[in-house]
Amino acid sequence: MEAYNDYVKRNFFLGLLFLLLALIGSLANAETHHYNFVVQQTLEHRLCRAHNILTVNGQYPGPTLQVRNGDTLVIKVLNSGKYNVTIHWHGIRQMRTQWADGPEYVTQCPIKPGATYTYRFPIENQEGTFWWHAHARFLRATVHGALIVLPKLGSPYPFPTPKHEIPIILGEWWNRDVISVQRLAIFTGGAPNVSDAYTINGQPGDLYPCSSKGTARFPVKSGDTVLLRIINAALNQQLFFKVANHRLTVVEADAAYTKPFTTSTLMLGPGQTTNVLLTADQTPGRYYMAARAYASAQNAPFDNTTTTAILEYTSAKKGVPSRPVLPQLPAFNDTATVTAFSAQLKSLAKVEVPTKIDENLFFTIGLGFVNCAPGPRCQGPNNTRFAASMNNVSFVLPRRASLLQAYFQNIPGIFTTDFPPVPPIKFNYTGNVPRALWQPKFGTKLYKLKFGSTVQIVLQDTGIFSTEDHPMHLHGYHFFVVGQGFGNFNARRDTPTFNLIDPPARNTIDVPVGGWSVIRFVADNPGVWLFHCHIDTHLAWGLAMSFLVENGVGKLQSVSPPPADLPPC
């Protein structure tokens, strides 16, 4: 018996030693990456004209940051532009680094012209395609870039290693200053002017005037498999994406690995990312990759142009046709293709989905109207001004202090915690909505969650102006999408259909046009976290709310003190 006890003790200490050595090795491999971001005006030439835009370090899109899981980022931002700005690190959870999340007046006040702020945060148990962007008014139209988080050294991808990787950033381009576009819309109460072009890696492509020379080109060798890291950075538009004559194998969505599936067409809502494997298995030549709008709202104007880039086989003969092959993209309103694509997204393996729910919430989302006297400031439908809301509350950002600062420092009068858990009135959400429900109430209302509580949210589209696909993004979290459907959500009918085995994990979910999505997560990240539509026009109109997740026990479950250089309001 004594020998057995000695054996157990010896193996216990050996196991402990190996665990300690592994931890030390992991920490030794982790790096701290320092970057300087200068937000500045930059002259760019697009669509036959010169135009000053706001950029980071003079680049459009901005610099790609590449780090590994476990690394730490330190990014000093100097605002040399003429507008207040913040930077958001889209999809990064910011565990214990809540002050680095970035949305203006939520976790920080903006960085004023001439001022600086340093974002410091580690990457903890996350890998994949993320991105960073301005989170102040419409500035993210040109202030954005890729954030690539590779696996830890020695950890392979859960799919065949590609020969190389290509970030693909989809965007929108205006010939006017985007803040002027937003200001005009705010003044008139109507919708903003649509973009003049879509872009791939900052370039509109061959189908636009004066654009062929700058068209993005991506060389590949015959037989090689490459990883495309696709980001929809467009300000206001969901986008279809295809590569002519090539199949795409989806392996990741919103920085979460998925069960691989092959498709010819992707759809990404603003804010979403999708990684695909592409094998160069076609006749050597030149093939367009192309993107254009998925526009689900009836009678709403949108940019109906198509952006292109070129996939070039390095072995292509000189005699191949000068015009690359163009893919046939879906129709602008092809919801069936969107639904078929979304239905195939599943987590790579079985996941732990919360089944005992502490907070069962039901949020209506959509546009509405504000009644006003006819005139230049009432140019929405029927002499109204556009508004947007969740549960009939149109979100108003504070100005005296950020929400997180007000919470941490107990500043009164900044927000209330009475955001409604369900709509104030039940109605036929996707049918003809009574006129009395068209106008929302305005407020800075938060919903309080206990640390560690399990949360289910039904996100229900509404048809006040028009039913519409809404990309809803939750800061500080990823969540499981356990169900989606069309029409009005019915708990008795729809709950048995939930996927509680391998639902996809996301940080931005496209709620189907005229339909619903159900998400679940554990409130394990204390702080104030914005939940909003990633169509920036809708965010500006108030399609947002914020969760206040209370502290748990001890430092690791509590909001940390603000950094010394936190920008003042």
Side-chain angles (χ1 to χ4, degrees):
M1 185 67 180
E2 199 171 304
Y4 174 77
N5 287 338
D6 288 342
Y7 171 82
V8 169
K9 287 178 183 177
R10 187 167 58 252
N11 278 276
F12 172 77
F13 285 116
L14 277 173
L16 196 61
L17 179 62
F18 284 132
L19 184 64
L20 186 61
L21 288 172
L23 179 62
I24 291 170
S26 175
L27 291 173
N29 289 328
E31 296 183 28
T32 298
H33 302 263
H34 293 264
Y35 298 96
N36 288 306
F37 276 18
V38 179
V39 180
Q40 61 190 66
Q41 291 291 123
T42 303
L43 185 66
E44 294 281 352
H45 293 82
R46 300 288 188 282
L47 307 181
C48 312
R49 65 181 69 189
H51 178 39
N52 268 307
I53 63 170
L54 207 63
T55 66
V56 166
N57 298 350
Q59 301 175 44
Y60 171 65
T64 293
L65 310 184
Q66 184 164 297
V67 300
R68 290 191 179 275
N69 184 4
D71 288 353
T72 295
L73 286 90
V74 180
I75 305 109
K76 182 178 181 180
V77 178
L78 167 63
N79 185 2
S80 292
K82 59 182 179 179
Y83 302 118
N84 290 347
V85 73
T86 65
I87 303 293
H88 169 55
W89 316 93
H90 190 108
I92 301 297
R93 292 207 57 198
Q94 302 292 1
M95 304 289 283
R96 299 179 305 285
T97 51
Q98 298 87 347
W99 303 98
D101 190 44
E104 65 172 346
Y105 298 112
V106 179
T107 59
Q108 69 169 96
C109 296
I111 308 167
K112 297 173 183 176
T116 64
Y117 180 49
T118 300
Y119 294 89
R120 298 174 176 86
F121 55 91
I123 308 294
E124 296 185 349
N125 301 315
Q126 289 188 277
E127 57 191 64
T129 300
F130 301 84
W131 63 299
W132 57 265
H133 61 79
H135 211 301
R137 297 189 283 179
F138 276 14
L139 295 181
R140 79 168 175 86
T142 56
V143 179
H144 60 251
L147 170 54
I148 309 302
V149 180
L150 301 173
K152 292 181 179 181
L153 283 172
S155 298
Y157 291 130
F159 49 80
T161 302
K163 286 290 184 182
H164 62 277
E165 304 180 4
I166 306 172
I168 304 289
I169 301 179
L170 311 177
E172 284 185 276
W173 176 269
W174 276 262
N175 284 330
R176 294 181 59 197
D177 177 69
V178 290
I179 296 300
S180 298
V181 172
Q182 185 178 19
R183 283 174 175 166
L184 180 62
I186 291 171
F187 176 82
T188 65
N193 293 331
V194 299
S195 56
D196 296 289
Y198 299 114
T199 58
I200 295 178
N201 287 4
Q203 296 291 339
D206 288 346
L207 305 185
Y208 296 89
C210 308
S211 299
S212 293
K213 187 177 180 181
T215 299
R217 289 169 167 79
F218 306 105
V220 293
K221 292 182 179 179
S222 286
D224 280 359
T225 296
V226 298
L227 181 69
L228 305 183
R229 296 179 176 271
I230 306 162
I231 300 165
N232 186 356
L235 199 68
N236 291 321
Q237 193 61 62
Q238 295 88 338
L239 293 168
F240 289 116
F241 177 88
K242 292 187 75 168
V243 180
N245 293 8
H246 289 75
R247 300 285 285 174
L248 306 171
T249 300
V250 177
V251 293
E252 179 190 307
D254 283 359
Y257 295 123
T258 63
K259 284 184 171 66
F261 68 91
T262 302
T263 180
S264 62
T265 305
L266 310 179
M267 198 291 287
L268 292 87
Q272 292 184 325
T273 69
T274 305
N275 285 8
V276 298
L277 295 172
L278 177 150
T279 299
D281 56 3
Q282 297 298 300
T283 302
R286 302 164 76 231
Y287 298 86
Y288 275 131
M289 57 177 65
R292 78 172 180 190
Y294 166 53
S296 60
Q298 294 182 11
N299 303 317
F302 66 95
D303 179 352
N304 64 358
T305 61
T306 302
T307 181
T308 57
I310 300 174
L311 186 75
E312 296 182 316
Y313 282 63
T314 56
S315 57
K317 296 178 181 178
K318 290 183 179 180
V320 297
S322 58
R323 173 72 77 177
V325 180
L326 186 68
Q328 183 175 352
L329 287 154
F332 300 121
N333 59 352
D334 190 350
T335 296
T337 292
V338 175
T339 305
F341 171 71
S342 301
Q344 296 182 83
L345 289 167
K346 290 178 170 54
S347 286
L348 185 61
K350 187 178 186 299
V351 291
E352 292 186 20
V353 183
T355 53
K356 181 181 179 299
I357 303 301
D358 300 315
E359 296 278 358
N360 202 340
L361 309 176
F362 190 109
F363 292 174
T364 55
I365 57 175
L367 306 189
F369 307 107
V370 176
N371 296 320
C372 54
R377 296 185 63 83
C378 291
Q379 295 185 34
N382 302 314
N383 296 315
T384 61
R385 294 178 61 82
F386 270 114
S389 67
M390 299 176 68
N391 278 358
N392 205 43
V393 177
S394 189
F395 192 66
V396 179
L397 288 170
R399 288 294 185 271
R400 287 196 294 119
S402 73
L403 296 174
L404 185 59
Q405 188 177 4
Y407 166 60
F408 189 82
Q409 297 177 352
N410 294 312
I411 302 173
I414 304 297
F415 63 83
T416 59
T417 55
D418 57 346
F419 185 86
V422 296
I425 299 174
K426 290 184 179 180
F427 57 97
N428 181 8
Y429 307 115
T430 55
N432 292 320
V433 181
R435 196 179 185 93
L437 299 175
W438 287 9
Q439 182 160 319
K441 296 179 179 178
F442 294 84
T444 310
K445 297 177 182 290
L446 278 56
Y447 191 85
K448 193 179 289 187
L449 295 171
K450 290 187 180 301
F451 183 91
S453 60
T454 53
V455 184
Q456 173 176 291
I457 309 174
V458 176
L459 296 166
Q460 174 69 61
D461 185 29
T462 58
I464 293 173
F465 168 66
S466 168
T467 54
E468 182 174 0
D469 178 292
H470 291 280
M472 300 299 296
H473 173 51
L474 177 58
H475 288 233
Y477 286 87
H478 64 251
F479 47 77
F480 294 114
V481 183
V482 298
Q484 288 188 292
F486 291 99
N488 298 332
F489 177 77
N490 181 303
R492 182 175 296 179
R493 177 195 65 208
D494 297 323
T495 302
T497 69
F498 286 176
N499 177 4
L500 303 179
I501 305 299
D502 58 356
R506 305 215 66 153
N507 60 59
T508 307
I509 177 62
D510 268 277
V511 178
V513 52
W516 51 268
S517 297
V518 179
I519 66 174
R520 292 184 180 183
F521 63 95
V522 178
D524 59 356
N525 194 7
V528 178
W529 304 106
L530 187 64
F531 189 28
H532 66 98
C533 181
H534 220 277
I535 295 174
D536 275 28
T537 297
H538 295 179
L539 172 59
W541 285 339
L543 213 172
M545 57 82 65
S546 287
F547 286 107
L548 194 168
V549 181
E550 296 179 312
N551 289 337
V553 178
K555 276 189 175 182
L556 295 181
Q557 296 182 3
S558 300
V559 176
S560 58
D565 64 341
L566 186 72
C569 282

